[in-house]
Amino acid sequence: MPRSNFSPSSCLEMKEKAARSTAEIAFVIEAEAAAAMMKEWGVAVAPELLVALVPAALRLARPPISNFHVGAVGLGTSGRIYVGVNMEFPGLPLHHSIHAEQFLVTNAAVHGETGIRCIAVSSAPCGHCRQFLQELRGAAEMQILVTSDGPGSAFLPLSSFLPRPFGPPDLLHKDHPLLLEPHDNKIALLDDEEETEAAGCGGICNGIGGALQERLRAAAAGAARASHAPYSKCPAGFAVADSEGRVYAGSYEESAAYNPSLGPVQAAMVAYVAAGGGGGRAGEGYGFVAAALVEPEGVAVSHEATARVFLSVVAPRAHLKVYRFHSSAAA
Amino acid sequence: MEEETLRETAEMGFVIEAEAAAAMMTELGVASAPELLATLVPAAQRLARPTISNFPVGAVGLGTSGRIYIGVNVEFPGLPLHHSIHAEQFLITNAAVHGEAGIRCIAVSSAPCGHCRQFLQELRGAAEIQILVTSDGPGSAFRSLSSFLPRPFGPPDLLHKDHPLLLEPHYNKIALLDGDEEAEAAAGGGGGGGTCNGIGGGVEARLRVEAEGAARAAHAPYSKCPAGFAVADGRGRVYAGSYEESAAYNPSLGPVQAAVVAYMAAGGGGAGKGFEFVAAALVEAEGAVVSHEATARIFLAAVAPRAHLKVYRFRSSADPA
């Protein structure tokens, strides 16, 4: 990947065009749409387009605690472009926060992307994110450009941001699937899955019928199958439904360094926001009506209690059901 | 030298006073304190509690006071991984509990992860902290933290340069509300009155005072929600720790974790033993944008289910010096 240096004038021109045309960019830009944008703005290569899109990404961020917006734009190996933004949740400990780089990778995962080659981001990735990104194949060579470096900014490999990293090679066999690579965890839900009712109601809760409940369960189970959790061997998935019956699901994404792991609830939040879901700006909650968690029974890492705390603050009327499965070695 | 070190440090505690460190150096023929750190890393690793990964990490740091602090990783089965304590975070928190003003160098058994390289940015002079990774082998050398995390994001991006950083004195204004909310963890707490869980009013008052003191000292300039947590063991001893925030948010160390460090650093929860807390206290801001209560309850339910937790709230005020 050649380094690109941008002259101040071409950068400014591109930014102005970007500001006009991308007032409402989506969180995923298909390869053809990206190619069209590139032609329109006279941008030669896709990585340059990423830089032009960062200001628009910034506007989509939801950081009501810090008011410090971060926008990240990444190029997938498929040619698709993914947007990531930071999200914060007032009332909760800060470990519930989602960083823009994590959002980007999770967004890519939700859309079946297999690799991220370069990322333009509005401010220097923090150590937590530099660590999280180690979970991707070829992490060292991933190209990162920090737009706050100004017109002279260039793409630099992730290895220069985190030299001598700790990561998957320290704990996993080299052939073990990494984040964004196919996982096929064995998830066989227990027959007498534990129903954990938020309210004591029977067949229909909160207006949620059996069909929606079933879709939530299936979505969360699918997310658990795809989950990257090789360290704890506790894959998990979470699904949420909005008031219009649309279901969004995300997979637990573990980090070799443990703490930077992204919880399944956060992953579902990314799926929801990336699909255009609203809410979360200062003072606002999220209008979820129901949720489902799929996780192994009786194991090293359990998300249920934390998921309940999250929902109680962010979407107190959401009804959560938990489904468990016998844990077996992650595929 | 290694054999001697193994003998000497078989019963090493988590804090080595400057005089004891000097004596060790003389006996081991080590010229400087930083060199001593590396020799102590294996012994530190033996104190680790990585019950999920079985990957022990030991860190040994030299404070500006001349004291040496040990840090180890601690994991908690049954809880999400964000409850884990890294050895470098343990070391810093251990230093904070003992009133240390700064950490100049650290020897650690494996390369610090990005989470820790970020957490260490909260210290004054972070870029110049010297780090040696013993797994690099005999040729290992001290290198500056800036070489481990070039172009960092950190306190200077969010705070005024004179704002106190981690390990520097903080004096958060904590005035507990008169009608402090008592939140009873156990069902039997409701009618507990004077004594709950065998915990007399004396221990409860000490827990409250310690947690309050820890909240006063907490480094929480980003959320402006300082907090402190205290735990009591079965022998009436109380240990407290302060919430330690990171500019990058997620690497922040919760007040519960800080209290666990205080407990372990004082010798609590040795090999094979659990965390035998019988009571705890949390002091945090009312209506806080960052609230720890629910998470503290989740932690105690998994780690010390019989511990009785009381929560005390204070009205939050503007970020003081």
Side-chain angles (χ1 to χ4, degrees), chain A residues 91 127 130-131 149 163-164 300, chain B residues 78 114 117-118 136 150-151 250 289:
Chain A
R130 301 182 196 190
Q131 182 62 53
D149 283 356
R164 305 202 48 236
Chain B
R117 300 181 198 193
Q118 182 63 54
D136 282 356
R151 304 201 48 236
N250 298 53
V289 73

Side-chain angles (χ1 to χ4, degrees), chain A residues 72-207:
Chain A
V73 188
L75 178 64
T77 46
S78 68
R80 245 194 229 126
I81 289 179
Y82 300 94
V83 171
V85 299
N86 59 333
M87 295 183 64
E88 296 164 1
F89 304 98
L92 290 168
L94 297 180
H95 52 68
H96 283 271
S97 314
I98 304 171
H99 288 228
E101 299 86 330
Q102 292 180 298
F103 188 120
L104 190 161
V105 172
T106 307
N107 183 10
V110 164
H111 290 89
E113 181 62 66
T114 54
I116 296 289
R117 301 317 316 145
C118 44
I119 297 176
V121 57
S122 56
S123 45
C126 72
H128 162 93
C129 282
R130 301 182 196 190
Q131 182 62 53
F132 183 80
L133 291 172
Q134 299 301 310
E135 293 307 305
L136 298 169
R137 183 79 60 188
E141 292 78 46
M142 186 186 302
Q143 300 293 307
I144 313 268
L145 183 148
V146 179
T147 61
S148 57
D149 283 356
S153 57
F155 280 98
L156 293 165
L158 178 58
S159 58
S160 71
F161 286 87
L162 200 74
R164 305 202 48 236
F166 175 80
D170 291 282
L171 298 178
L172 302 179
H173 185 272
K174 65 174 174 56
D175 295 332
H176 198 292
L178 299 184
L179 189 52
L180 296 188
E181 295 181 337
H183 287 63
D184 193 18
N185 305 309
K186 293 175 182 32
I187 310 289
L189 294 182
L190 300 175
D191 281 343
D192 52 353
E193 68 260 14
E194 289 163 41
E195 281 192 21
T196 320
E197 309 277 338
C201 46
I204 300 199
C205 283
N206 216 15

Side-chain angles (χ1 to χ4, degrees), chain B residues 190-203:
Chain B
T195 304
C196 280
N197 214 16
I199 308 308
V203 170

